[in-house]
Amino acid sequence: METERLSARLRDWITERATASDDGEALLDGLCNALCDAGVPLWRASVSGPTIDPAHRSVGLTWYAQEGMTLVFIPHEQDEAMWLRSPIFALLESGEHSVRYRLEALRNGEDFPILHELRDQGGTDYLLHLITFAPGIALRGVALSFATRAQGGFDQDSVSVIEGILPTLGLALARLSLAHTLREVLGTYVGPVTAGQVLEGNVRRGQGRTVSAAILLADLRGFTALSDRSDPLDMVTWLNEHFDALGDPVTGRGGEILKFLGDGFLAAFTVPDAGALPCNVCREALSAAVDALAANDALNARRRAAGRPELPADLVLHFGEVVYGNVGTGRRLDFTLIGRAVNEASRIEGQCQSLGHPLLISDAFAARCADALEEVGTVPLRGLARPQRLWTLPGLDRSVPVAATGQ
């Protein structure tokens, strides 16, 4: 009866924490400490499961008594040999949902490196449970393990307490996994700032707000011609390499990529105080553009050395007031920047090759910069009533002609 009361108290605690917060690390840390305080001789606990993430196939939390929590991400590229020799894989293959290993009496046939490692660290007992989630998404469930150093392993009361909280803990982990996945997937596909807007409920068509923003538009020159004579899978690989080179400096300096446009992208640096000059946000946007061009040039140098085709980049920096919000059909929306400034940036980008500059800066953006810029000239832009004065940054190499790239 005392064991059941303890399990009930811990179930209430799990439910309260899991509904009040999305912090899975705090939940596991608090639960492990609560188990120890209740007399369960817990030395190590872990939670691991698949994730929906472009960089990682799974994530794990491991807790050690007196040491706390460690978060580990497993990349998609990691060799599967260790996974195939894990007790989790063996349990999945068996079709069972739980297994117990007496670490002090491991047999040679139980060739699981993690168990021998734990035994060498003084572990005596290891409990492993699989909790499955509802089908339909890649989050198939989680694996929970509990280990002790107590002589003789876990006693029956400790095992009963752990088993008594598993259904509630599984439900809590399912909720936390879904909440984490929702944020991460949205952030991956629409950007972290935009994901925050969507999760706050800004999902109605036409809903948005007017913001001042530095706009960065990037385009890879010669991509269409190259794609006509190259393997489509090679093109995808090359495109991703260039997007990494161009995009990482943008996000690293506070910009958000809002939309990929075939062989380019639209990014924004929101300016909270448009009246403050010189503009620190515009300085970051300009630095991001310079770093992006340098990274793309370095990538092209590596590609040239490997005998592969190059893709020069054209970048535009513009500043203006735009609407940041929803546009689309009733059930299919895009959360992006809308407004004249976006159209103007697109028109300016079309001048990069003819003017011979990989970076063009609008007069509106230039007026907000403390950097010494070089005037390119005043040019008419299609669809705009007035010619636009354009600038660039001194010292940047002129754009490489398409003919010189083999495109």
Side-chain angles (χ1 to χ4, degrees):
M1 182 63 74
E2 180 59 35
T3 298
E4 176 54 34
R5 281 199 293 267
L6 175 56
S7 294
R9 188 165 70 247
L10 290 173
R11 288 194 295 267
D12 290 342
W13 184 92
I14 293 169
T15 301
E16 179 184 346
R17 296 302 189 278
T19 53
S21 171
D22 287 341
D23 192 340
E25 294 182 53
L27 175 69
L28 183 61
D29 183 66
L31 176 60
C32 291
N33 286 311
L35 286 168
C36 291
D37 291 343
V40 176
L42 188 62
W43 163 56
R44 178 188 185 273
S46 71
V47 178
S48 61
T51 184
I52 302 176
D53 187 284
H56 309 108
R57 73 181 180 207
S58 62
V59 61
L61 283 171
T62 302
W63 176 93
Y64 280 94
Q66 313 303 322
E67 296 179 23
M69 195 73 62
T70 302
L71 178 65
V72 177
F73 291 98
I74 306 300
H76 292 285
E77 299 79 13
Q78 188 174 85
D79 185 5
E80 290 192 358
M82 289 299 291
W83 162 245
L84 297 177
R85 296 178 63 197
S86 71
I88 300 175
F89 177 78
L91 186 55
L92 283 168
E93 289 291 288
S94 73
E96 301 294 328
H97 288 86
S98 65
V99 66
R100 183 175 188 175
Y101 292 98
R102 299 287 189 171
L103 300 181
E104 296 171 308
L106 282 178
R107 298 188 301 272
N108 290 334
E110 293 167 342
D111 189 19
F112 303 127
I114 182 61
L115 298 186
H116 290 278
E117 179 182 325
L118 295 179
R119 183 188 62 181
D120 293 343
Q121 295 174 18
T124 59
D125 204 358
Y126 178 89
L127 308 177
L128 177 63
H129 297 270
L130 298 181
I131 298 177
T132 58
F133 299 162
I137 59 174
L139 301 177
R140 297 181 297 275
V142 294
L144 289 160
S145 74
F146 305 88
T148 184
R149 283 175 165 172
Q151 186 175 1
F154 290 111
D155 59 28
Q156 186 53 49
D157 284 348
S158 295
V159 173
S160 297
V161 169
I162 290 172
E163 291 178 346
I165 65 174
L166 285 177
T168 302
L169 182 56
L171 187 61
L173 291 172
R175 194 201 80 76
L176 296 179
S177 296
L178 288 171
H180 174 79
T181 299
L182 182 60
R183 289 193 301 272
E184 291 300 309
V185 169
L186 273 176
T188 297
Y189 280 92
V190 302
V193 175
T194 302
Q197 291 289 318
V198 173
L199 290 175
E200 287 177 6
N202 298 320
V203 295
R204 294 178 57 194
R205 183 169 58 170
Q207 189 174 25
R209 57 191 176 95
T210 301
V211 299
S212 296
I215 299 167
L216 185 149
L217 192 64
D219 182 71
L220 290 168
R221 188 153 24 91
F223 179 83
T224 301
L226 182 61
S227 64
D228 282 342
R229 60 179 187 273
S230 301
D231 181 270
L233 292 178
D234 287 340
M235 291 303 304
V236 170
T237 299
W238 298 338
L239 189 61
N240 286 332
E241 290 175 351
H242 284 279
F243 280 160
D244 275 342
L246 295 169
D248 287 349
V250 172
T251 56
R253 290 190 175 271
E256 176 146 358
I257 297 174
L258 297 171
K259 183 186 297 186
F260 287 97
L261 308 165
D263 56 354
F265 61 78
L266 169 68
F269 296 74
T270 302
V271 179
D273 185 2
L277 295 176
C279 178
N280 291 330
V281 175
C282 290
R283 181 188 303 119
E284 289 298 305
L286 179 57
S287 297
V290 173
D291 292 345
L293 287 173
N296 197 67
D297 287 344
L299 172 60
N300 278 329
R302 294 192 297 271
R303 293 172 61 77
R304 182 167 57 252
R308 295 175 179 171
E310 303 170 49
L311 288 170
D314 291 331
L315 268 64
V316 165
L317 289 170
H318 189 30
F319 176 84
E321 201 171 71
V322 292
V323 174
Y324 179 48
N326 291 287
V327 63
T329 69
R331 298 296 300 174
R332 176 62 175 90
L333 298 175
D334 193 8
F335 205 114
T336 187
L337 293 186
I338 307 154
R340 184 177 65 185
V342 178
N343 297 330
E344 291 170 348
S346 178
R347 297 291 186 265
I348 295 171
E349 187 277 322
Q351 299 294 315
C352 287
Q353 185 174 351
S354 60
L355 294 176
H357 292 279
L359 174 64
L360 288 179
I361 300 169
S362 73
D363 202 40
F365 188 99
R368 306 182 59 79
C369 289
D371 301 78
L373 301 177
E374 173 186 318
E375 185 173 356
V376 173
T378 301
V379 298
L381 298 177
R382 180 172 58 86
L384 302 183
R386 292 182 299 176
Q388 296 285 315
R389 185 163 62 160
L390 301 177
W391 306 75
T392 193
L393 195 64
L396 285 181
D397 290 339
R398 294 296 192 268
S399 294
V400 180
V402 172
T405 69
Q407 299 169 24

